Every structure is written in C-alpha cells, then in structure tokens.
Amino acid sequence: MEETVIPRPVPVSLAVQGTQARFPVRRIYCVGRNYAEHAREMGDTGRTPPFFFGKPADAALNVADGVEGVLPYPSMTHDLHHEIELVAALGSGGRDLTPEQAAAAIWGYAIGLDMTRRDLQAEAKKAGRPWDTAKGFDHGAVLGPVHPASATGPLTSGRITLSINGQARQAGDLSDMIWSVPEAIAYLSTLFELKAGDLIFTGTPAGVGAVAVGDQLRGEIDGLGALQVRIG
Ligand code: MN
C-alpha cells in the first residue's frame, strides 16, 4: 500500500452472521418516510417519490448477535429518537437498475436503527438547512450483523418491531412499505451509481419517539433475530 502522510482511517465493516468474514461498508443511504403510518405521523399523505439522505460510513455502530451494544447519548440534542429499519446490504451495484436488478444486487440484510436528533432535524426543516447534524452523527447508524440473503431469502414481509425497556414502541410489517426495497434501491440508482458495500436503510414504521440514558432498546425483524442496544 502507498505511504500516507497521516494515519489511514480505519476501514468500516460489519459482522456477518455465520462466518468470521466481514462485510465492508462503502456508503450509507437512508430512505425517508417509507411506511404510510409513519409518513402520516410526520405530516405526509399519498405516494410521493422516495427521498434520500446519507450518513457517513463511520457513523456505523455494529452490535454483534446476542450482545448488548452501547450507544453514547450524542451531544447537542435533548430529543434523540429511535427509528427501527430494515437495512439492505449490496453485493453489487450499478446505475438505473430495474427493481428486478436491484433485488439481485442485495447481498444481505441487517436490523438497523436510524438514530435521529429530532430537535436538530426540526430546526433544519424550518430553516431549509441540511439534515447532516440531525442524522449523520457518530454512532448514529446502529446495525446488527448482516444476514446473507442466500440464507434469509428476499425479505418482503414480516414483523418489524422496537421495544424500550420491554415496552412496545414501534410495530409494522415490511409489506407496509410505500416503496418496496427493490423499488427504493432502483430509484436511488437513478441518483447515484451504487456499488458493493453500500447499505440502504429502508425507512421506519410508525411509533418513533425519544430515548433517555439507560434505556434498553430491542429491535426485531422476522428472519433477522434481535438488535439490542443501551443508551449510555
Ligand atoms: Mn429513518
């Protein structure tokens, strides 16, 4: 490898269920408002085209299976929200994919938490400013291990839930998505050339809300087990 003038940043990768080999992360894309009930709770109606935002790859906080991760409560917010989401992990990419091609590009799936500084997001929306500080903060993309699609099959339906301290908060079904995972990825590929290693957070069901220090979050998606994290 070439000599560098400063230390090389550590490459970001995720654990993969059933193997020691890792899933290297290139980019993190997120779909906004992709479940009708959550879109309504955020003030939207109807099937408008999907919209996207990003998180830096190194915002990923990977929590191993059967382990409770710790998410440090981030600075500059008093309204940290949870958003449980299905995450698609791409094994290949391309531009202008059809939904069928997008489906074939999915290497695996993970449970994700699109953590959000809701107060900073509300200020940004009001002022017409970007969402980066609301969405792209350190540890703001909590992720369980990647489960190979060869083992899970395509995840098009199944329960997606989040509980805090044992109490149900978010619940939905993957089949309630406004834009299916392949449709959302196909749309995204008209905006960006997608590549192997890209992660796509596919939106959250209704019931988002605030967390506090000490809270224990447990996210579950049928076929992917559970993601457990404590707010530190
Ligand atoms: Mn989200």
Side-chain angles (χ1 to χ4, degrees):
M1 263 209 282
E2 290 163 329
E3 194 181 335
T4 55
V5 295
I6 56 167
R8 232 175 249 283
V10 179
V12 179
S13 68
L14 305 178
V16 177
Q17 198 72 3
T19 173
Q20 291 299 108
R22 311 274 300 176
F23 183 91
V25 178
R26 191 182 82 108
R27 293 184 182 171
I28 302 178
Y29 295 104
C30 305
V31 186
R33 298 185 192 176
N34 200 26
Y35 289 76
E37 232 187 298
H38 172 63
R40 277 195 294 275
E41 80 182 349
M42 300 304 282
D44 267 16
T45 53
R47 197 186 198 222
T48 51
F51 70 92
F52 303 91
F53 56 91
K55 298 193 186 225
D58 68 355
L61 172 64
N62 192 199
V63 180
D65 192 48
V67 170
E68 183 183 65
V70 179
L71 168 63
Y73 196 96
S75 62
M76 299 296 284
T77 182
H78 300 287
D79 198 20
L80 178 66
H81 273 212
H82 53 80
E83 296 189 0
I84 178 82
E85 308 201 5
L86 174 66
V87 178
L90 299 192
S92 62
R95 287 193 186 98
D96 300 325
L97 303 176
T98 63
E100 292 72 27
Q101 291 170 327
I106 299 171
W107 189 88
Y109 298 97
I111 304 176
L113 287 170
D114 166 16
M115 299 303 293
T116 303
R117 288 159 158 160
R118 194 71 75 199
D119 41 3
L120 298 195
Q121 187 192 32
E123 283 172 26
K125 282 180 182 174
K126 211 155 106 187
R129 289 184 183 147
W131 287 8
D132 301 54
T133 60
K135 291 288 196 178
F137 56 93
D138 295 341
H139 317 297
V142 186
L143 287 145
V146 178
H147 294 245
S150 58
T152 63
L155 296 187
T156 53
S157 66
R159 295 293 291 164
I160 174 168
T161 60
L162 181 96
S163 65
I164 300 182
N165 305 326
Q167 291 197 312
R169 291 291 184 91
Q170 288 189 263
D173 196 284
L174 299 178
S175 61
D176 295 337
M177 286 187 196
I178 297 169
W179 297 92
S180 72
V181 174
E183 285 174 337
I185 294 171
Y187 202 103
L188 183 62
S189 76
T190 67
L191 294 163
F192 302 97
E193 180 177 0
L194 302 179
K195 294 196 173 176
D198 288 345
L199 301 178
I200 296 105
F201 280 67
T202 61
T204 198
V208 300
V211 298
V213 172
D215 280 349
Q216 290 177 299
L217 282 60
R218 182 182 172 90
E220 292 184 57
I221 296 176
D222 281 353
L224 300 180
L227 168 64
Q228 298 180 90
V229 65
R230 183 167 49 82
I231 308 299

